[in-house]
Amino acid sequence: GQQVMQIPQYQHVQEGEDFTTYCNSSTTLSNIQWYKQRPGGHPVFLIQLVKSGEVKKQKRLTFQFGEAKKNSSLHITATQTTDVGTYFCAGTGGGADGLTFGKGTHLIIQP
Amino acid sequence: EAGVTQSPTHLIKTRGQQATLRCSPISGHTSVYWYQQALGLGLQFLLWYDEGEERNRGNFPPRFSGRQFPNYSSELNVNALELEDSALYLCASSLAPGGLQETQYFGPGTRLLVL
């Protein structure tokens, strides 16, 4: 079945540093989504990417979908303490397969 | 618009008992998903229901079961509880399976503790 791998599992950064998490799928995806889960909270949808090579930005967050539609990345510029949480990617091959979530990257920010 | 709701928020059971968790999706959403999130771990997919039918199932034993009602709400049942079943159980809903409309909206979760 479809597998979505996400690295790193944990990332410690100093406040103000950049952060990147990477997502790789074993199969070609029809779309990829990113979610954020704050400590003690539930996952919240951030964005969806559909097109090959697509890049989308949300303020300090940049999301990218690979040309082959098998990988994606989330980059945060100049992290702030409010960015703390776990970032999940989730991909779908379409049809009845549904979304497959990566294990998530825990972002820890040291002030 | 009300989001996904789950009940109860917390549940304490002992080994061998049964637990029933409930989820109400966002109005108009037909798909409901259940995930288990053990402490510090990612989302482990449990079950997916759409239009009252089980569409897919994760790698969990048969004592994890559920159903979806005609109003699209859903129940997750866990029989013969084991200590390692202690986790946050998240329910999510989406408009429809497949295609571009699979954004999942998560509820606040039910925290199950098995003693």
Side-chain angles (χ1 to χ4, degrees):
Chain A
Q2 184 175 283
Q3 291 186 341
V4 175
M5 309 298 291
Q6 198 172 346
I7 56 170
Q9 185 176 1
Y10 293 91
Q11 183 73 60
H12 291 77
V13 300
Q14 295 282 339
E15 187 176 7
E17 290 182 337
D18 293 355
F19 159 78
T20 305
T21 173
Y22 300 91
C23 188
N24 291 287
S25 169
S26 57
T27 59
T28 301
L29 302 169
S30 63
N31 66 39
I32 195 153
Q33 300 176 11
W34 286 91
Y35 293 76
K36 177 184 178 180
Q37 184 176 21
R38 293 181 185 274
H42 58 274
V44 175
F45 173 77
L46 291 176
I47 207 161
Q48 177 172 264
L49 304 171
V50 177
K51 300 176 185 175
S52 169
E54 187 171 13
V55 177
K56 285 188 177 180
K57 292 192 175 186
Q58 288 180 351
K59 297 182 181 178
R60 294 178 295 104
L61 278 61
T62 303
F63 303 84
Q64 191 164 6
F65 202 8
E67 294 289 342
K69 300 184 76 172
K70 294 181 73 173
N71 57 68
S72 181
S73 65
L74 158 59
H75 179 82
I76 302 178
T77 304
T79 54
Q80 300 175 359
T81 54
T82 53
D83 296 326
V84 164
T86 304
Y87 293 84
F88 294 96
C89 64
T92 179
D97 288 342
L99 277 177
T100 301
F101 280 80
K103 297 289 187 187
T105 295
H106 301 264
L107 173 59
I108 299 120
I109 297 176
Q110 293 150 346
Chain B
E1 179 183 278
V4 177
T5 59
Q6 290 186 245
S7 63
T9 55
H10 293 80
L11 189 58
I12 300 175
K13 295 283 186 178
T14 56
R15 282 172 55 189
Q17 284 189 313
Q18 180 202 35
T20 298
L21 288 63
R22 296 179 177 83
C23 172
S24 290
I26 290 173
S27 178
H29 286 192
T30 62
S31 273
V32 171
Y33 311 80
W34 287 96
Y35 296 89
Q36 181 195 65
Q37 188 174 39
L39 189 62
L41 298 181
L43 297 167
Q44 305 292 318
F45 168 69
L46 269 165
L47 290 159
W48 169 20
Y49 291 96
D50 182 69
E51 296 284 359
E53 305 232 343
E54 184 179 297
R55 294 290 296 265
N56 208 346
R57 182 182 179 85
N59 189 24
F60 280 83
R63 57 190 186 81
F64 286 83
S65 65
R67 54 180 173 167
Q68 186 178 33
F69 299 99
N71 66 355
Y72 303 114
S73 67
S74 177
E75 262 183 14
L76 173 68
N77 294 293
V78 189
N79 294 320
L81 284 165
E82 299 178 2
L83 297 178
E84 48 267 34
D85 296 333
S86 295
L88 178 67
Y89 288 84
L90 290 162
C91 170
S93 74
S94 69
L95 272 172
L100 306 179
Q101 293 180 321
E102 276 207 42
T103 300
Q104 296 191 10
Y105 297 86
F106 284 82
T110 292
R111 197 163 293 280
L112 173 64
L113 178 60
V114 182
L115 302 174

